[in-house]
Amino acid sequence: MKGGVVEGTGRVCEEFSAGYYGLCTVGGMFGAGTSHLATTPFDVLKVNMQVNPVKYHGISSGLSTLWKEQGPSALWRGWSGKFFGYGVQGGCKFGLYEYFKKLYSNVLVDHNKSVIFFASSASAQVFADVALCPFEAVKVRVQTQPNFIRACLMGFQNYMHLKGFLVSMIMFSTFEHRFYISQCYPKKKGRLLESPATWCDMFSRLCSWAIGTIISNPADNVVSSLQKKADTVLQAVKNIGFVNLFTRSLPIRITLVGPVVTMQWFFYDTIKSSKWIVSAPP
């Protein structure tokens, strides 16, 4: 490495170097932050559907109700928590995924790559969701209670004294887990790193995120309920109902999966396949 460039390559960093992890982290932050920011109106509706399903019972009717009663600005309530919170989560998720992938590849030498990829994703997701929890807890309170506070980042001091904060963190870090399905296409000879996502690769990722969305739906409903209607997890589950835990707001959550996942992996894969990185020696 000389002057920030790998000698003889003209590239900025080597794969699995500190610079490589930094680029992956930045790519994850940018992709996750911007994708979640763009879907804020649907996220506002999702949270309100969870805490008031009678009033907000459909996607189009719910958006219309929010617009008429609270104005267009209501659809962007909690945007700062979405942008910064999921930016932090994305940075941890993608950056740590690469770190754990290298770590587990060295430790679990004889194991199948899919096992290594899954373990890496699971490990990174735990740290990512713990980092997200404070932002998410404040965001949900802002979106469900307009008089609470206008800006998510200003709400931390106020929110630290509210019931359900710790429970929200535990619920999110435990259940809001996403599965990662490894690449289903072979690398072409001569390519330093994988190409940007193919249709097959993107479809596998969408399926994995959809499965994760279904699995995490009960926890997502409980987290929303804890911010407005319940003081404990058991009370939240009782208020929502067992069946509703799995079905309430699920259609809109799955609808959000497509654009969010597509944007995240587009930015991330673009950076990973860029000319800035040279593959590590075998």
Side-chain angles (χ1 to χ4, degrees):
M1 179 75 71
K2 185 176 181 180
V5 178
V6 180
E7 293 187 55
T9 66
R11 302 176 191 275
V12 175
C13 63
E14 184 178 287
E15 188 180 11
F16 301 124
S17 65
Y20 171 77
Y21 295 135
L23 280 175
C24 290
T25 299
V26 171
M29 292 179 68
F30 185 72
T34 54
S35 61
H36 280 277
L37 175 64
T39 58
T40 298
F42 293 98
D43 186 68
V44 173
L45 175 61
K46 180 209 74 172
V47 172
N48 281 278
M49 290 174 73
Q50 291 172 336
V51 299
N52 195 345
V54 175
K55 184 175 183 178
Y56 303 99
H57 53 83
I59 296 178
S60 59
S61 61
L63 289 172
S64 177
T65 300
L66 282 170
W67 183 289
K68 291 178 180 178
E69 293 187 355
Q70 302 180 35
S73 61
L75 299 177
W76 294 95
R77 189 174 294 130
W79 69 267
S80 57
K82 292 279 287 181
F83 180 69
F84 293 104
Y86 282 94
V88 171
Q89 188 215 33
C92 292
K93 178 167 59 180
F94 291 100
L96 288 176
Y97 167 72
E98 296 296 333
Y99 172 78
F100 284 120
K101 185 169 68 174
K102 176 64 173 176
L103 177 65
Y104 293 155
S105 294
N106 293 336
V107 175
L108 308 174
V109 178
D110 298 326
H111 284 69
N112 186 281
K113 283 189 175 181
S114 295
V115 175
I116 294 175
F117 291 159
F118 181 86
S120 302
S121 174
S123 300
Q125 193 71 44
V126 170
F127 289 95
D129 285 338
V130 169
L132 169 66
C133 279
F135 295 91
E136 182 70 12
V138 175
K139 175 194 73 70
V140 172
R141 179 59 67 99
V142 170
Q143 291 175 337
T144 57
Q145 297 186 24
N147 296 327
F148 171 61
I149 198 165
R150 286 294 179 183
C152 282
L153 296 183
M154 295 169 58
F156 282 106
Q157 183 176 357
N158 295 32
Y159 193 70
M160 286 298 179
H161 303 289
L162 297 177
K163 293 181 180 180
F165 179 73
L166 179 60
V167 178
S168 299
M169 292 187 69
I170 295 173
M171 292 293 292
F172 229 82
S173 61
T174 304
F175 295 106
E176 188 65 13
H177 175 69
R178 296 289 187 257
F179 295 94
Y180 175 78
I181 297 179
S182 58
Q183 301 137 295
C184 58
Y185 59 93
K187 293 181 182 180
K188 294 180 180 180
K189 292 183 178 181
R191 292 298 300 270
L192 293 175
L193 294 172
E194 62 265 31
S195 64
T198 63
W199 285 109
C200 180
D201 187 40
M202 184 59 66
F203 179 73
S204 70
R205 288 165 176 171
L206 287 171
C207 289
S208 67
W209 252 261
I211 294 171
T213 298
I214 294 171
I215 293 174
S216 67
N217 202 57
D220 196 71
N221 277 298
V222 169
V223 169
S224 296
S225 182
L226 285 171
Q227 313 311 316
K228 191 170 184 179
K229 292 185 173 182
D231 294 324
T232 66
V233 173
L234 291 178
Q235 184 180 344
V237 172
K238 183 178 179 180
N239 291 344
I240 297 170
F242 183 77
V243 175
N244 289 332
L245 277 174
F246 294 89
T247 59
R248 183 174 294 172
S249 75
L250 184 59
I252 191 170
R253 290 192 73 218
I254 293 180
T255 301
L256 286 170
V257 168
V260 167
V261 174
T262 302
M263 290 179 67
Q264 284 188 35
W265 285 103
F266 173 78
F267 289 121
Y268 178 64
D269 280 356
T270 298
I271 286 181
K272 283 195 64 178
S273 62
S274 68
K275 295 180 179 180
W276 299 339
I277 303 170
V278 61
S279 60

